Amino acid sequence: MSASTLDMRKNRTAVFAVLMALGMLALGFAAVPLYRMFCQVTGFAGTTQVASESDAARAARFADSAAARTISIRFDGNTASDMPWTFHPEHPTDTVTIGQRDMAIYIAKNNSDERITGTATFNVEPEQAGAYFNKIQCFCFTEQVLEPGQEVRMPVLYYVDPKALDDPNMKGVEQITLSYTFHRALDLAE
């Protein structure tokens, strides 16, 4: 084998290795949004659904029927260890009619002497309930900015989809927990 053929093979192998590394890097960056999209579509890992007003109206028609049932919703609020906020639900539990819109209020207070931007992550338990827990409006859809010492009331407008009653995996579920954790938002200006 000639030296030029050997060099050509080495160059081709190097280009292939660089392309593979770039492809793996791209997949690494794409993994989080792709996983989030998968969870939102399927309700996997307790991810709630985002509902439109027309979806809520359809569910409300069901709630007005004689077949409507109630379910207990437990609310939970936490903060990351580096987040100097107090964050909790106004009421820890509520009983709602399946298909009917309801609202929960969470209270956040910035206990520091600096302006802090926070973002909330959420989860629903049991996991199979995530596909049926629909949020119409939520503070978790956007970043929240609190000035030093500021306290705010933040609403979550939601409903439990009546389709949950037809799911055998939801049989026996008497309570759904909606849990939020506030984290400091990344400051891209730094």
Side-chain angles (χ1 to χ4, degrees):
M1 186 177 304
S2 71
S4 66
T5 305
L6 187 59
D7 285 342
M8 200 165 59
R9 283 187 171 180
K10 286 181 184 178
N11 288 340
R12 190 175 11 188
T13 301
V15 167
F16 181 72
V18 168
L19 289 175
M20 286 293 292
L22 290 173
M24 296 300 283
L25 182 66
L27 282 175
F29 279 104
V32 171
L34 289 174
Y35 180 74
R36 184 177 296 130
M37 186 172 36
F38 169 78
C39 290
Q40 287 173 340
V41 168
T42 65
F44 183 73
T47 302
T48 63
Q49 305 301 304
V50 177
S52 68
E53 287 294 331
S54 62
D55 293 335
R58 178 192 51 78
R61 283 192 299 277
F62 173 85
D64 292 337
S65 75
R69 287 195 7 225
T70 61
I71 191 164
S72 174
I73 308 293
R74 186 175 82 80
F75 303 102
D76 180 47
N78 305 285
T79 57
S81 59
D82 67 337
M83 185 63 135
W85 286 10
T86 304
F87 176 65
H88 59 88
E90 186 173 59
H91 301 288
T93 60
D94 193 9
T95 300
V96 300
T97 301
I98 293 178
Q100 186 173 31
R101 281 187 263 186
D102 205 348
M103 183 169 36
I105 302 290
Y106 279 79
I107 299 168
K109 181 176 181 182
N110 182 351
N111 298 315
S112 76
D113 59 356
E114 64 179 312
R115 179 181 200 214
I116 296 180
T117 302
T119 185
T121 58
F122 56 87
N123 193 12
V124 171
E125 289 293 330
E127 188 174 307
Q128 67 269 27
Y132 304 107
F133 196 94
N134 293 275
K135 292 186 288 186
I136 301 165
Q137 180 183 348
C138 182
F139 58 86
C140 63
F141 295 161
T142 58
E143 292 181 341
Q144 303 298 316
V145 179
L146 294 182
E147 299 297 330
Q150 181 182 12
E151 181 175 291
V152 295
R153 294 168 42 94
M154 300 180 293
V156 179
L157 188 59
Y158 69 94
Y159 70 93
V160 178
D161 195 317
K163 293 177 186 172
L165 298 171
D166 299 328
D167 185 344
N169 293 322
M170 289 292 292
K171 189 171 184 84
V173 173
E174 296 178 7
Q175 185 174 67
I176 297 173
T177 300
L178 175 62
S179 181
Y180 289 98
T181 302
F182 254 105
H183 303 270
R184 278 184 184 255
L186 296 176
D187 187 1
L188 301 177
E190 290 181 355

